[in-house]
Amino acid sequence: MKKNVLITGANGFIAKNISKLLQENYNVRFLTRRKTNDQEYEWNIDKQEIDVRSLKDVNHIIHLAGANIGEKRWTKERKKLILSSRIDSAKLILNTLIKENISIESFISASAIGYYGTLTSNKIFAETDKHGADFLSHVCLQWENIADEFKTKNIAKRVIKIRTGVTLSEDSNGALFKIKTPIQYHLGACLGSGKQYMPWIHIKDLCSIYKYALENINLEGAYNAVSPEHTTNKDLTYSIAKRLNKRIWLPNIPSFFIQWVMGERANLLLEGNRISAHKLLESGFYFRYKELDDSLKSLLQ
């Protein structure tokens, strides 16, 4: 009998790709604000309301819900939404499971490499390193803390937290599309110094990590979901241009201009550290796309 997997963040491209990977071997259901088919169940995070039927006989929960951190300027209200969409949504699920006396095998939560802080240094960050001190670090820390409660309150046997880097995909809202578009029109340029690292992962590898975490009972705790290859903003920009048979003519876009346009969230583009994939590799996970050139070849046909 197929096991039941509940996925939050149903409208995101990561959720859609994960569901495609799992559909053959699992019964996949989704939590969404507006139901459109029999696989979906409605919830309202603001009102802390959820269709309890979504949790009946559920074995695994993959928690991907969360407002896009790069979509809009970080006003006070936007920051509140970025935090609440992750934390309050998890609390709603947890409290409902407790109320209904439902236990699950695993709770797999998205997180981000922003956990370590948005900065550039010579350090290579591993899962054992402490969290940073900026806004995104604060978000990731609370995100992971609420995930841990699923185990401390004896609701989930395992909790896995996937600290994700820049996800490369064909999605029109994804990072790769936003970088390649100006390059196609000869308007591509490196950002700031161009020396900041951009830890990345291919969408297929990311989805495989979630499936791997779901199926391997020995996995628990935090894992960095990034390619083993370390890539700078300049490396990525020029590699995309090469794949598209374009050239980078323009000088680097000055940091002050990006900060003026984007405000505080400009650090997402201007800062970046190397992140270690060693723990995931050591666990036995196989990356299909370890190198940037292979990833871009598969995505930029």
Side-chain angles (χ1 to χ4, degrees):
M1 183 178 294
K2 292 182 178 181
K3 291 190 174 183
N4 301 311
V5 178
L6 175 66
I7 301 177
T8 71
N11 295 324
F13 73 94
I14 294 176
K16 291 175 181 176
N17 279 275
I18 290 176
S19 66
K20 289 178 183 177
L21 184 62
L22 298 181
Q23 287 283 5
E24 184 176 344
N25 299 313
Y26 296 88
N27 295 316
V28 180
R29 56 182 78 160
F30 304 92
L31 278 171
T32 182
R33 289 184 178 273
R34 185 172 297 176
K35 178 176 178 175
T36 59
N37 59 61
D38 291 339
Q39 283 184 292
E40 297 180 344
Y41 297 83
E42 291 186 356
W43 66 341
N44 188 310
I45 300 167
D46 295 332
K47 295 181 179 180
Q48 287 288 286
E49 296 175 349
I50 188 171
D51 188 338
V52 178
R53 293 174 299 173
S54 65
L55 300 171
K56 184 181 179 182
D57 300 321
V58 71
N59 302 105
H60 307 276
I61 296 175
I62 298 177
H63 182 44
L64 304 173
N68 191 321
I69 61 171
E71 192 175 72
K72 298 179 181 179
R73 201 174 185 90
W74 288 354
T75 62
K76 184 178 179 179
E77 286 303 311
R78 185 64 182 175
K79 283 185 173 182
K80 183 179 177 181
L81 177 62
I82 288 171
L83 187 61
S84 65
S85 61
R86 289 161 171 78
I87 313 308
D88 292 344
S89 56
K91 284 182 180 178
L92 173 57
I93 296 171
L94 177 60
N95 292 336
T96 306
L97 289 171
I98 293 172
K99 182 180 177 181
E100 299 295 324
N101 196 28
I102 299 171
S103 60
I104 60 177
E105 295 178 32
S106 67
F107 184 78
I108 306 172
S109 177
S111 184
I113 57 172
Y115 177 91
Y116 305 108
T118 312
L119 69 162
T120 304
S121 71
N122 293 322
K123 183 176 176 61
I124 301 176
F125 284 87
E127 291 84 350
T128 52
D129 287 307
K130 67 178 183 179
H131 60 85
D134 56 20
F135 169 65
L136 282 186
S137 300
H138 174 68
V139 170
C140 291
L141 179 62
Q142 292 200 50
W143 203 357
E144 295 191 12
N145 284 345
I146 187 64
D148 287 333
E149 287 192 33
F150 281 77
K151 183 168 183 180
T152 59
K153 294 187 176 179
N154 298 314
I155 293 300
K157 293 179 182 177
R158 295 185 299 131
V159 169
I160 304 97
K161 298 160 288 189
I162 310 297
R163 294 175 181 167
T164 310
V166 177
T167 304
L168 301 183
S169 73
E170 296 171 316
D171 187 81
S172 60
N173 292 316
L176 181 58
F177 183 84
K178 293 175 181 177
I179 298 171
K180 78 171 184 178
T181 300
I183 293 175
Q184 288 175 317
Y185 293 98
H186 307 285
L187 297 173
C190 298
L191 305 178
S193 70
K195 296 178 181 179
Q196 67 275 29
Y197 286 95
M198 295 186 69
W200 60 270
I201 187 166
H202 193 290
I203 182 64
K204 288 186 177 179
D205 277 335
L206 179 59
C207 293
S208 294
I209 289 170
Y210 276 93
K211 186 172 186 286
Y212 183 71
L214 189 152
E215 296 178 343
N216 286 266
I217 61 173
N218 293 325
L219 259 66
E220 195 163 353
Y223 289 85
N224 294 330
V226 294
S227 164
E229 183 180 75
H230 301 305
T231 304
T232 64
N233 173 260
K234 182 178 179 180
D235 294 333
L236 181 60
T237 303
Y238 276 79
S239 293
I240 293 172
K242 182 179 179 181
R243 175 57 53 183
L244 295 174
N245 292 315
K246 303 292 183 179
R247 294 189 66 180
I248 302 297
W249 298 97
L250 297 177
N252 294 16
I253 301 174
S255 297
F256 73 84
F257 179 77
I258 297 172
Q259 290 168 337
W260 177 71
V261 172
M262 298 184 66
E264 186 180 349
R265 67 193 170 111
N267 283 344
L268 293 172
L269 303 179
L270 297 174
E271 304 288 348
N273 269 307
R274 289 173 292 176
I275 307 294
S276 171
H278 179 72
K279 183 180 178 183
L280 196 56
L281 288 167
E282 196 174 45
S283 77
F285 181 78
Y286 173 77
F287 282 89
R288 184 176 174 183
Y289 297 97
K290 286 186 177 182
E291 298 179 355
L292 182 61
D293 287 344
D294 290 337
S295 294
L296 295 179
K297 183 178 179 180
S298 72
L299 295 168
L300 298 175
Q301 297 294 339

